[in-house]
Amino acid sequence: LTGTSREQRAFQYLLAHAIPGDPHHILQTFDQWCYHCEHLSCVGPDKGRIVERVLLERAPLRVLELGTYCGYGTVLLAQGLPPGARLYTIEADPRHAAVAEKVIRLAGFSEQTVELIVGPSEEVIPRLREKHGLMNANLVFMDHWKRSYLRDLRLLESHQLLAEGATILADNVLFPGAPHFLQYAKTCGKYHCKVHRASLEY
């Protein structure tokens, strides 16, 4: 009825209530909107703590996020990066990317720290090295279409974009579920797998 999307309405709420340049407060304000106004498929605070723990343990210098959406996960990842690290995030939907770009910059992250790439992951991944300068990633966060998880993991492997000892963190593999991805990760012999139990966001 308003002619604006849920994502745009959430951003307007951020502009009105969040502290610019404060990533933690940006995420808290996002959570308030999602709990009390409209549901968005963001990572949310419960699963966010798992992401924060992995970042703290791994201290990755090169991070790749598949599925930027509104930028919630991007801000979550960026605020946990060690000094000098860089985050590349890919979003297929230009409308979501436009919102995410504003959210990321509102949180205080420059293009030197966070690069947002717009386009389908299967087209962007093969160009990451030559076009965007990503030699390989220490951490990959998958939070896009579940049916794309396995395809994109294999693309990352075939283009040698995974650093030795890289961590793949994939959201919602049990529900809505990414069974082929999960089976491959468990049986291909390349990965040690751990399932983190969590509730659905909000």
Side-chain angles (χ1 to χ4, degrees):
L1 290 174
T2 62
T4 60
S5 67
R6 278 190 303 175
E7 294 79 17
Q8 290 170 317
R9 290 194 291 274
F11 177 68
Q12 292 303 318
Y13 184 82
L14 283 184
L15 278 180
H17 297 92
I19 301 169
D22 185 336
H24 183 68
H25 197 259
I26 296 276
L27 296 177
Q28 278 187 326
T29 308
F30 243 131
D31 293 335
Q32 286 171 357
W33 171 265
C34 294
Y35 277 124
H36 303 295
C37 300
E38 294 181 278
H39 178 270
L40 294 174
S41 297
C42 302
V43 180
D46 293 340
K47 290 189 284 188
R49 281 187 281 274
I50 298 170
V51 176
E52 288 172 331
R53 192 169 70 242
V54 171
L55 281 167
L56 197 61
E57 290 170 359
R58 304 292 186 215
L61 288 175
R62 295 173 304 280
V63 178
L64 175 63
E65 179 186 32
L66 303 178
T68 317
Y69 188 41
C70 291
Y72 183 106
T74 315
V75 171
L76 180 69
L77 289 164
Q79 74 168 355
L81 292 177
R86 187 162 169 77
L87 168 60
Y88 302 79
T89 183
I90 301 172
E91 175 53 50
D93 189 324
R95 294 164 303 178
H96 293 164
V99 173
E101 180 82 45
K102 290 183 277 194
V103 170
I104 293 161
R105 306 310 166 209
L106 184 68
F109 298 109
S110 69
E111 290 183 15
Q112 281 66 47
T113 303
V114 178
E115 181 178 348
L116 173 59
I117 306 164
V118 184
S121 54
E122 71 271 23
E123 294 177 13
V124 173
I125 289 171
R127 304 197 309 260
L128 279 173
R129 183 172 286 119
E130 62 176 53
K131 191 169 180 185
H132 301 280
L134 175 61
M135 301 311 292
N136 53 41
N138 308 110
L139 174 68
V140 178
F141 181 47
M142 293 185 168
D143 194 16
H144 56 325
W145 292 107
K146 311 313 156 207
R147 63 176 178 268
S148 303
Y149 280 17
L150 179 55
R151 179 201 67 199
D152 287 351
L153 178 59
R154 285 179 161 159
L155 269 177
L156 290 168
E157 290 173 350
S158 64
H159 289 275
Q160 298 177 325
L161 286 165
L162 298 176
E164 189 174 345
T167 299
I168 315 290
L169 193 56
D171 193 18
N172 295 334
V173 293
L174 298 180
F175 182 83
H180 300 299
F181 166 84
L182 209 52
Q183 183 184 18
Y184 175 77
K186 286 179 174 178
T187 60
C188 72
K190 300 174 187 175
Y191 305 101
H192 298 288
C193 292
K194 179 179 180 182
V195 176
H196 299 268
R197 300 282 171 179
S199 62
L200 285 174
E201 57 277 356
Y202 310 114

